[in-house]
Amino acid sequence: MSHWIIAPVVLPAVAAALMVLALRGTLALQRVLSLAAILALNAIALALLHATTTGAPQAYFLGDWPAPFGIVLVLDRLSALMVALLAALALPVALYAIGSGWDAKGAHFHPLLMFLLMGIGGAFLTGDAFNLFVFFEVLLIASYGLMIHGGGEARTRAGLHYVAFNLLGSALFLFALGLLYATTGTLNMADLAVKLPDLPEGDAALLRTAAVMLFLVFAIKGALVPLHFWLPSTYANAPGVTAALFAIMTKVGAYATLRFASLVFPPDLPATGLILPTFLLPAALLTLGLGAIGTLGAATLPRLAAFAGIASMGTVFLALAQMSPVANAAALFYLVHSTLATALIFLVADLLSRRRAHLRLDTPANITQPGPTGALYFAAAIALAGLPPLSGFPGKLMILDVWRDQAAVIWPAVLVSSFLMLLGLSRAGSCLFWKPGSDPAPTAPHEPLALAAAFALLAGLAALTVFAGPVTDWLTATADALSDPAAYIAANRLGVAP
């Protein structure tokens, strides 16, 4: 199975190269190859998920160079989960792009999609901090191309803002890696986990500086307040299908935070201690509050969806801030839920844009074929607000449960933010579907494939709800494994027995 670990990186890279070199200008063949690659990626992701469920972590050493000197990809339960989530999201997004015709509105949509999958998949699998930076840059370049797909002044301006802000994060990432390497002589994450407990006290200040800088980078990727400024305009102006795929990009920041907080800078590391939760908890609460208020005051549906995504990241980071196995399991459950729910609301916004004269929430307008899109919006609103019967409800209950010792502060924040989101989503739904306007509704062709892709995301939310018990058990075992990284370190052949 170890040779298959590199497949989520190589497969989309090869598919992208074939599209650029051999299939340029032939959209039909690009669509076929893109769907075939994503279907194969789903099959591989399921196989990797099964392998980590029944076995120990595994590593793939590129060029057979041993760790920590060579490039290593490590497969454990967490990385397998994230790769499976990426593959599961990519399929309905690709189907929606084809069914709605978005992939025909600009050049190279499918090659850029493949490169984005390569970058995100590599970020989830890499066992080296420098290669995490490399994959961050790959996904940044591909995401910028997808961001401005279809053109437009507002989209280009938002894309430049997005790139500029993330390039600052990249520069900060390089500074942090330089400090870390100068202090320890390695950037292999498992090797760091072995060496950092024995670091001389004189280097503790440098290590704390590197840790803070790294977590600032992850906060930028995860859109934590006050480093969230790039997200609202970026997601609101991006094509709906691109914004739906971007729902997992912010989760890269959450993944990296969880990986480093459990492996490289655990709470019992003397040099860093509880520095992460000290800053993460208030930032998460502010992110949750700002996202909820943003949904209440958003002027357009895409901007409402963007703020809902910010609120979901605040909820995920709120669970991660406790840094306990139970809280990490709750964070992972809500991470999966929020990825599907946020992607769904962006696809709904795009569907509505084809059947409504505008998407402003302060001016009623007529809408064609409100039935399917109305049902999808209603389900997405329930999911984002965390109401039963969809998976947001058990996800938020799990997070409330892990913060019972600070219920006086955390519980009101979560409950009030949910209420504000419910109000904002209800206001938007009322304007979209219940208030007829004077403008004529645009004529839009029936798009069964696009609708089917959106309903597939809703089916994923329903399945997560139905199987919440087994999923929670699996995620609990994943969180327990993260709290004892000996098996992960041993997979790197660094001489530490599991």
Side-chain angles (χ1 to χ4, degrees):
M1 177 56 69
S2 63
H3 292 289
W4 286 101
I5 297 174
I6 198 173
V9 179
V10 172
L11 176 63
V14 171
L18 287 174
M19 291 176 190
V20 172
L21 298 175
L23 303 179
R24 181 178 297 183
T26 54
L27 181 58
L29 292 179
Q30 287 188 11
R31 287 173 169 177
V32 171
L33 181 56
S34 180
L35 287 177
I38 291 174
L39 287 171
L41 181 61
N42 274 271
I44 293 169
L46 289 175
L48 295 178
L49 197 64
H50 180 264
T52 59
T53 301
T54 58
Q58 303 177 47
Y60 181 85
F61 304 92
L62 276 76
D64 208 24
W65 281 82
F69 308 105
I71 298 173
V72 59
L73 303 178
V74 184
L75 178 76
D76 66 344
R77 295 173 72 100
L78 177 60
S79 57
L81 169 69
M82 299 306 295
V83 170
L85 180 61
L86 171 65
L89 178 63
L91 183 57
V93 167
L95 290 173
Y96 186 93
I98 295 171
S100 63
W102 258 114
D103 59 343
K105 294 186 178 182
H108 309 306
F109 176 88
H110 290 285
L112 289 170
L113 173 62
M114 291 296 107
F115 280 125
L116 183 64
L117 295 181
M118 168 195 168
I120 299 176
F124 290 149
L125 288 167
T126 184
D128 184 273
F130 180 77
N131 288 295
L132 179 63
F133 165 79
V134 172
F135 284 119
F136 271 13
E137 297 311 296
V138 172
L139 69 89
L140 174 63
I141 294 170
S143 63
Y144 175 69
L146 290 172
M147 164 68 199
I148 63 173
H149 180 78
E153 181 180 351
R155 189 168 295 154
T156 303
R157 188 186 305 113
L160 290 173
H161 182 199
Y162 162 68
V163 169
F165 203 84
N166 278 273
L167 284 178
L168 289 176
S170 299
L172 190 63
F173 202 168
L174 278 179
F175 291 143
L177 293 179
L179 274 177
L180 202 57
Y181 188 79
T183 306
T184 63
T186 184
L187 290 176
N188 180 281
M189 290 188 283
D191 199 30
L192 287 169
V194 173
K195 291 182 176 179
L196 289 185
D198 300 325
L199 198 69
E201 290 186 8
D203 293 331
L206 287 176
L207 182 61
R208 282 194 294 271
T209 303
V212 170
M213 293 172 71
L214 279 175
F215 287 126
L216 283 176
V217 174
F218 303 151
I220 292 174
K221 301 297 181 183
L224 266 180
V225 172
L227 303 172
H228 69 288
F229 298 107
W230 61 272
L231 191 146
S233 61
T234 299
Y235 281 37
N237 288 286
V241 65
T242 300
L245 188 60
F246 282 8
I248 199 170
M249 279 181 46
T250 48
K251 308 309 185 295
V252 177
Y255 164 82
T257 299
L258 178 56
R259 176 68 76 191
F260 273 76
S262 60
L263 179 64
V264 182
F265 304 114
D268 58 353
L269 184 66
T272 55
L274 298 176
I275 190 171
L276 175 60
T278 301
F279 294 102
L280 191 56
L281 179 58
L285 289 171
L286 288 174
T287 304
L288 178 59
L290 184 139
I293 294 171
T295 58
L296 189 61
T300 65
L301 183 57
R303 195 166 182 85
L304 181 149
F307 277 104
I310 291 176
S312 72
M313 290 309 301
T315 307
V316 171
F317 278 109
L318 182 62
L320 292 178
Q322 192 180 101
M323 298 185 70
S324 69
V326 176
N328 290 340
L332 289 174
F333 185 94
Y334 199 84
L335 183 150
V336 175
H337 157 80
S338 64
T339 300
L340 300 177
T342 306
L344 176 59
I345 192 65
F346 278 114
L347 293 190
V348 171
D350 190 71
L351 285 170
L352 287 171
S353 69
R354 300 165 182 275
R355 293 168 173 80
R356 198 169 187 264
H358 56 78
L359 285 180
R360 292 196 61 82
L361 302 178
D362 54 0
T363 305
N366 293 322
I367 183 173
T368 60
Q369 300 177 339
T373 50
L376 285 169
Y377 178 84
F378 181 69
I382 289 176
L384 289 169
L387 297 178
L390 293 179
S391 50
F393 183 67
K396 287 194 174 181
L397 283 182
M398 292 168 63
I399 293 173
L400 290 175
D401 184 59
V402 301
W403 282 108
R404 280 178 296 177
D405 58 336
Q406 297 189 37
V409 177
I410 306 298
W411 285 28
V414 174
L415 296 175
V416 170
S417 65
S418 298
F419 179 69
L420 292 177
M421 290 182 67
L422 179 61
L423 288 180
L425 291 162
S426 300
R427 177 184 69 91
S430 175
C431 183
L432 290 170
F433 299 104
W434 290 353
K435 296 180 180 179
S438 57
D439 296 332
T443 58
H446 194 55
E447 299 162 339
L449 185 58
L451 279 173
F455 274 105
L457 290 174
L458 178 57
L461 289 169
L464 185 60
T465 307
V466 172
F467 299 103
V471 170
T472 301
D473 292 340
W474 194 92
L475 294 176
T476 300
T478 301
D480 290 338
L482 289 173
S483 65
D484 183 12
Y488 185 98
I489 296 171
N492 284 263
R493 303 174 189 168
L494 294 172
V496 179

